[in-house]
């Protein structure tokens, strides 16, 4: 194999490959990126046997061939080189020779025949959606995934297809986030559900950008294709709980909150929040929200902000970190907060629609 590429063309690809490749692999080749080159085309593939990323590049090849190169070492070398440096790759037996300006590197490579591709099963559902909307839905729900929970189905994001809509849902048992987006589906059944694992969600947030993407779903695998790169992963083998039972109904009171004012008030209140028990008490009264915090040293903070609220006075306490996540989930200027009583969950949405939706359970004091 022999080819020459500009550093700026390959560096973003290698960055994503290094994230995918396993740093402590059971099989040494899982720490490698597979490079395949022939004709006018190059392909880069990395996998840890749970997720897999394949990126195609239209680029002339001087000599066809393939090999598996240590992903992290190759990325670190290219990252350390000056911008727009031409990189010449040339395999010689079990070595890869890399020339870059006045620098020379020799890396040990493994045969391409040993590379363990992730197995992908036949589709049950396929369709297209907007990449930016899909990424936004992932970002909204990623905030509320559990981490290392014994209930494995919580350590990921539910992807549900119904008709021509796709819904993403995640919960850790204390809060829930949900977002719906249009999806041009080929699904023949009434609905389809699968659970994307945490690592897949975090990698998708890195690689999904704009344009139109195609999703292919089966009972065991998920594949995203944007025309130049293909991401695949295994799914969590579990049934997701009925999230609709968690969505409160009949919350009669609501407050309209300016997002930037809320952000500033939360930042002030958090200064004196307890590290061991991060709780913020929220008091709602006539067009006023008061945030109260307290820590182990008996220090106290109280921050007031003007809101639109004209219902009965109400006190409710939340985990401070989860309350602050509302600022990350919503990018609208105004947020609507629906409440019922002090021991009931609060529902956060944009002003005029219920999409996205964020449910936050109260803390019992």
């Amino acid at each position: 194999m022999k080819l020459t590429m500009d550093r700026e063309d390959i560096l973003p690809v290698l960055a994503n490959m290094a994230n995918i490749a396993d740093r402590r692999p059971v099989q040494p080749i899982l720490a490698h990126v597979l490079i395949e080159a022939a004709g006018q085309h190059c392909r880069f593939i990395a996998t840890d046997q749970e997720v897999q990323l394949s990126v195609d590049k239209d680029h002339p090849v001087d000599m066809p061939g393939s090999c598996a190169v240590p992903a992290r070492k190759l990325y670190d070398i290219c990252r350390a080189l000056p911008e727009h440096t031409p990189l010449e790759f040339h395999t010689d037996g079990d070595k890869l020779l890399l020339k870059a300006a006045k620098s020379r590197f020799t890396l040990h490579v493994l045969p391409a025949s040993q590379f363990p591709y992730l197995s992908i099963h036949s589709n049950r559902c396929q369709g297209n959606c907007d990449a930016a909307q899909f990424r936004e839905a992932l970002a909204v729900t990623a905030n509320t995934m559990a981490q290392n929970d014994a209930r494995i189905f919580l350590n990921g994001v539910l992807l549900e297809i119904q008709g021509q809509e796709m819904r993403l849902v995640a919960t850790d048992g204390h809060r829930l986030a949900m977002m719906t987006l249009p999806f041009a589906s080929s699904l023949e059944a009434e609905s389809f559900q699968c659970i994307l694992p945490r690592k897949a969600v975090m990698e998708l947030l890195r690689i999904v950008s704009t344009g139109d993407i195609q999703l292919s779903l089966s009972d065991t695998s998920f594949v995203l294709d944007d025309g130049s790169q293909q991401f695949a992963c295994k799914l969590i083998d579990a049934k997701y709980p009925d999230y609709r039972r968690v969505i409160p109904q009949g919350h009669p009171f609501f407050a309209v909150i300016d997002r930037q004012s809320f952000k500033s008030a939360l930042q002030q209140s958090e200064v004196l929040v307890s590290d061991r028990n991060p709780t913020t008490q929220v008091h709602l009264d006539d067009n006023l929200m008061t945030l109260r915090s307290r820590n182990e040293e008996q220090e106290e903070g109280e921050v007031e902000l003007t809101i639109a609220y004209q219902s009965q006075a109400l006190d409710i306490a939340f985990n401070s970190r989860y309350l602050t996540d509302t600022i990350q989930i919503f990018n609208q200027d105004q947020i609507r907060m629906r409440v019922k009583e002090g021991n009931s969950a609060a529902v956060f949405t944009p002003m005029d629609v219920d999409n996205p939706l964020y449910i936050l359970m109260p803390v019992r004091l």
Side-chain angles (χ1 to χ4, degrees):
M1 180 183 76
K2 186 176 181 181
L3 71 150
T4 302
M5 296 187 75
D6 189 272
R7 172 186 179 272
E8 310 315 304
D9 287 338
I10 195 174
L11 190 62
V13 176
L14 294 178
N16 289 331
M17 295 292 158
N19 281 323
I20 297 289
D22 201 333
R23 299 193 183 191
R24 296 183 179 88
V26 177
Q27 305 174 52
I29 199 166
L30 293 178
H32 290 57
V33 53
L34 177 65
I35 304 177
E36 299 176 328
Q40 301 292 312
H41 182 79
C42 298
R43 174 171 291 171
F44 301 83
I45 307 173
T47 183
D48 65 357
Q49 288 292 276
E50 296 295 328
V51 300
Q52 178 176 292
L53 178 63
S54 171
V55 178
D56 293 316
K57 286 281 187 182
D58 290 327
H59 194 85
V61 175
D62 299 321
M63 183 184 301
S66 59
C67 63
V69 189
R72 177 57 55 175
K73 290 178 183 177
L74 183 58
Y75 169 63
D76 287 343
I77 289 170
C78 293
R79 184 176 58 171
L81 293 170
E83 293 184 0
H84 299 294
T85 301
L87 309 177
E88 182 180 315
F89 298 86
H90 184 199
T91 53
D92 183 9
D94 62 352
K95 303 291 184 182
L96 174 72
L97 309 179
L98 173 59
K99 298 180 182 180
K102 297 181 180 180
S103 303
R104 304 288 186 275
F105 304 92
T106 303
L107 295 173
H108 179 74
V109 298
L110 295 176
S113 59
Q114 295 182 11
F115 195 80
Y117 294 93
L118 187 67
S119 59
I120 299 171
H121 296 82
S122 58
N123 302 331
R124 279 193 55 198
C125 177
Q126 190 170 354
N128 295 68
C129 65
D130 180 76
Q133 289 183 333
F134 182 65
R135 191 189 184 283
E136 181 185 0
L138 284 171
V140 165
T141 51
N143 279 293
T144 58
M145 287 186 297
Q147 190 168 5
N148 298 322
D149 196 293
R151 300 162 293 181
I152 60 170
F153 48 81
L154 297 184
N155 300 319
V157 170
L158 172 69
L159 194 156
E160 180 180 60
I161 309 294
Q162 284 190 318
Q164 298 300 302
E165 285 187 338
M166 176 166 58
R167 184 172 296 110
L168 276 69
V169 184
T171 180
D172 60 5
H174 305 286
R175 60 220 175 110
L176 179 146
M178 179 174 71
M179 185 169 175
T180 304
L181 61 150
F183 184 68
S185 171
S186 64
L187 180 67
E188 296 181 0
E190 291 184 3
S191 65
F192 176 82
Q193 287 188 347
C194 64
I195 307 174
L196 295 174
R198 183 181 187 86
K199 180 171 183 178
V201 173
M202 305 314 293
E203 294 302 332
L204 284 166
L205 285 171
R206 290 190 184 97
I207 67 173
V208 175
S209 56
T210 58
D212 189 63
I213 54 175
Q214 182 183 79
L215 304 185
S216 302
L217 313 169
S218 74
D219 291 328
T220 57
S221 59
F222 165 95
V223 179
L224 179 148
D225 194 328
D226 68 1
S228 64
Q229 60 183 354
Q230 185 185 80
F231 176 87
C233 72
K234 291 181 179 179
L235 299 170
I236 293 178
D237 184 15
K239 182 174 176 59
Y240 209 79
D242 184 4
Y243 64 87
R244 292 176 179 82
R245 297 176 58 184
V246 181
I247 301 174
Q249 303 295 328
H251 275 36
F253 312 131
F254 69 90
V256 178
I257 308 167
D258 178 78
R259 180 175 173 272
Q260 289 301 322
S261 299
F262 193 35
K263 179 179 181 180
S264 175
L266 286 169
Q267 288 173 338
Q268 297 172 53
S269 174
E270 280 187 334
V271 174
L272 297 182
V273 163
S274 167
D275 291 330
R276 287 185 294 179
N277 185 26
T279 302
T280 297
Q281 297 183 46
V282 178
H283 176 73
L284 300 174
D285 208 340
D286 190 23
N287 290 330
L288 187 69
M289 173 184 282
T290 305
L291 305 178
R292 298 188 178 101
S293 56
R294 189 175 185 179
N295 59 25
E296 290 84 356
E297 288 77 32
Q298 303 302 310
E299 297 170 326
E300 297 181 354
E302 183 173 296
V303 183
E304 293 183 348
L305 68 152
T306 302
I307 61 172
Y309 180 79
Q310 294 187 345
S311 302
Q312 68 181 38
L314 188 66
D315 288 287
I316 185 168
F318 299 108
N319 180 295
S320 303
R321 300 184 189 117
Y322 299 165
L323 186 61
T324 302
D325 278 345
T326 57
I327 307 305
Q328 307 299 324
I329 290 173
F330 300 100
N331 53 26
Q332 292 81 3
D333 292 335
Q334 291 185 317
I335 302 171
R336 174 176 286 192
M337 174 184 178
R338 298 205 305 267
V339 291
K340 183 178 181 180
E341 54 191 10
N343 59 358
S344 297
V347 181
F348 296 86
T349 64
M351 184 59 191
D352 299 319
V353 293
D354 287 345
N355 188 38
L357 179 145
Y358 181 54
I359 299 169
L360 184 53
M361 299 297 295
V363 174
R364 297 187 184 275
L365 299 176

